[in-house]
Amino acid sequence: MNGWLQKLTSGSLLLLLAVSICLGGYSSLLSHRLELARQQVAQQKKTLAQQAGLIVTMQEQDARNRKLMAEQQQREQQLRQRGEIYQRKYEDAIKNDECARRAAPVAVLDLLRGKDTATTGTNRSVAP
């Protein structure tokens, strides 16, 4: 019976040794995976910090652009208001003016329209 007990003890020790080796290997694998996961987390933190910086920069640029757009709209509004004021003043100025009611000569209208009147006029003298 002693032999049988001795075989059981040595078999148990061998089994325990095999389980220990397997657990050691699995532990090593998990440690490696943990290290990889930590490296990924560190890389993701860097990326996140860069993206946060970019977001801040974009928000600053957006605020600047909005300010510039508001200023541009204000200038355009002022120009429209000035144009309306000048138009009213012009209309008031020519309202009772006899000369303003008459039609302008064709040559003057052509000049205002930007047409070349040098070739269309018959009464013009030609310079030597």
Side-chain angles (χ1 to χ4, degrees):
M1 194 131 148
N2 237 357
W4 183 79
L5 190 58
Q6 207 174 20
K7 285 183 182 182
L8 183 63
T9 306
S10 48
S12 295
L13 286 175
L14 285 176
L15 182 62
L16 187 59
L17 180 64
V19 168
S20 296
I21 291 172
C22 289
L23 287 177
Y26 187 64
S27 173
S28 175
L29 176 67
L30 290 179
S31 294
H32 180 67
R33 285 186 178 176
L34 178 62
E35 182 59 31
L36 289 177
R38 286 181 179 159
Q39 288 175 358
Q40 286 178 343
V41 166
Q43 184 62 34
Q44 287 175 349
K45 283 182 180 179
K46 282 183 193 177
T47 303
L48 187 61
Q50 289 173 347
Q51 289 175 347
L54 289 174
I55 288 171
V56 168
T57 302
M58 290 173 68
Q59 287 172 338
E60 291 170 353
Q61 289 176 349
D62 181 54
R64 252 180 279 149
N65 287 342
R66 288 177 188 271
K67 181 181 175 188
L68 290 173
M69 285 175 51
E71 291 172 359
Q72 179 68 26
Q73 288 175 346
Q74 184 178 6
R75 281 192 296 271
E76 289 174 359
Q77 178 65 28
Q78 289 172 348
L79 287 174
R80 279 193 294 276
Q81 288 173 347
R82 278 191 211 144
E84 291 170 0
I85 290 169
Y86 291 149
Q87 183 66 31
R88 278 194 300 268
K89 286 182 180 180
Y90 171 76
E91 289 171 0
D92 288 344
I94 67 167
K95 183 173 24 176
N96 296 322
D97 188 2
E98 186 63 35
C99 183
R101 290 187 195 137
R102 284 190 244 143
V106 175
V108 172
L109 292 175
D110 286 344
L111 283 173
L112 291 173
R113 291 181 186 133
K115 292 183 180 178
D116 184 17
T117 58
T119 58
T120 59
T122 56
N123 298 348
R124 306 202 182 222
S125 60
V126 177

